[in-house]
Amino acid sequence: MSTSTESSASAARAPVGDGEGADVTATGGRSAARSGPAAAFAAVLGAVSRPVSRYFAAPGWRRTKRAADRVLLIVVVGAVGWTLCSSVFLGTRAVANRGVAVVHLGGQPEVQITWADGETPKYPVLPSEVLTGSQTARVSISIANDSPDGVVIQPATLTGPYLAGPVVLRPDNGNGYILGNGTIHLVGTVTVNCDAAGSVARTLVQGGQTAAQQPTTIAFDLRDTNKKKHTAFLVIDTTAAALQGRVCTR
């Protein structure tokens, strides 16, 4: 029984000195040697990442991030605002550098009349004969531009008492452009009911005062140097003598 015990003990000690057991121990040593740098790198990385993680998780980082976000927002908004302000400034400067028309037309248009037969008035101021029936005449109405800038006048409409209807007047220069401090003529053909306008014509011949009537006016559109459209009205007179009375007298 004791012999058996010694044999078991010897057998238990024998593998320790065996060559195969020595190879296994050497391989384990090489693996441990290879894992040494990786473990060191992991340890360093862990040592660095732990404080970094604690910093990003700390309230201080959140405050810093909020401050950085505000600064970035201010920079972006400021850049956009500067761009918009620059555009508005450039646009304003461009408009300021353009000519701005001072639209001011002469207040009392001059009326010239040529009858249908081509005859022109022989009297300088007052006529001597009153005509009856319907009389047709060509009228030329001069309009002065008292502003320093040129304007473009579109075809106009003439209205007033004793006329057969509204009359279209067109610029005699074709394009309707009036230079600054220049003059243009609007021309058209009118038909006047001289029987209805007889009182005005007789007053004109006799040199008396003519009662006020519905005004004789010219309405037209014009454009200034900025291409802006305006609607203008000019009153020829309020007595119908300047046009209707003249057409019905000779």
Side-chain angles (χ1 to χ4, degrees):
M1 184 173 188
S2 67
T3 303
S4 174
T5 303
E6 287 179 8
S7 300
S8 299
S10 300
R13 289 193 299 268
V16 175
D18 188 76
E20 183 178 354
D23 290 340
V24 171
T25 303
T27 302
R30 285 195 298 271
S31 299
R34 283 197 301 269
S35 63
F41 177 78
V44 172
L45 182 62
V48 172
S49 63
R50 279 193 296 273
V52 171
S53 299
R54 285 196 299 271
Y55 175 76
F56 284 118
W61 161 248
R62 289 195 292 270
R63 289 193 296 271
T64 303
K65 183 176 183 300
R66 283 196 297 270
D69 291 341
R70 292 192 188 98
V71 171
L72 180 60
L73 179 61
I74 292 172
V75 170
V76 172
V77 172
V80 174
W82 173 256
T83 302
L84 294 177
C85 290
S86 299
S87 301
V88 172
F89 174 73
L90 291 176
T92 303
R93 186 173 63 185
V95 172
N97 289 340
R98 294 180 60 185
V100 178
V102 180
V103 179
H104 180 221
L105 302 178
Q108 185 61 46
E110 178 187 352
V111 179
Q112 296 179 351
I113 297 173
T114 303
W115 284 283
D117 57 9
E119 184 180 354
T120 56
K122 296 182 174 63
Y123 52 88
V125 179
L126 296 178
S128 59
E129 179 184 359
V130 177
L131 304 177
T132 59
S134 293
Q135 298 294 330
T136 300
R138 179 181 180 273
V139 295
S140 177
I141 301 173
S142 63
I143 296 179
N145 176 19
D146 295 335
S147 77
D149 298 303
V151 294
V152 177
I153 290 185
Q154 306 296 324
T157 301
L158 174 71
T159 56
Y162 316 131
L163 296 177
V167 179
V168 176
L169 302 177
R170 300 186 183 279
D172 62 350
N173 65 353
N175 56 21
Y177 180 71
I178 312 178
L179 292 170
N181 300 310
T183 302
I184 197 175
H185 293 84
L186 297 175
V187 297
T189 301
V190 298
T191 300
V192 180
N193 182 353
C194 291
D195 293 335
S199 62
V200 176
R202 284 189 294 271
T203 302
L204 188 60
V205 169
Q206 296 167 4
Q209 290 289 345
T210 302
Q213 307 287 336
Q214 176 188 352
T216 303
T217 61
I218 303 173
F220 52 82
D221 293 330
L222 59 86
R223 295 187 184 276
D224 61 24
T225 54
N226 288 328
K227 309 299 183 183
K228 186 175 181 179
K229 181 179 178 181
H230 305 267
T231 298
F233 299 90
L234 287 180
V235 177
I236 296 178
D237 63 22
T238 59
T239 63
L243 193 150
Q244 292 90 325
R246 292 279 298 276
V247 171
C248 294
T249 59
R250 292 195 186 184

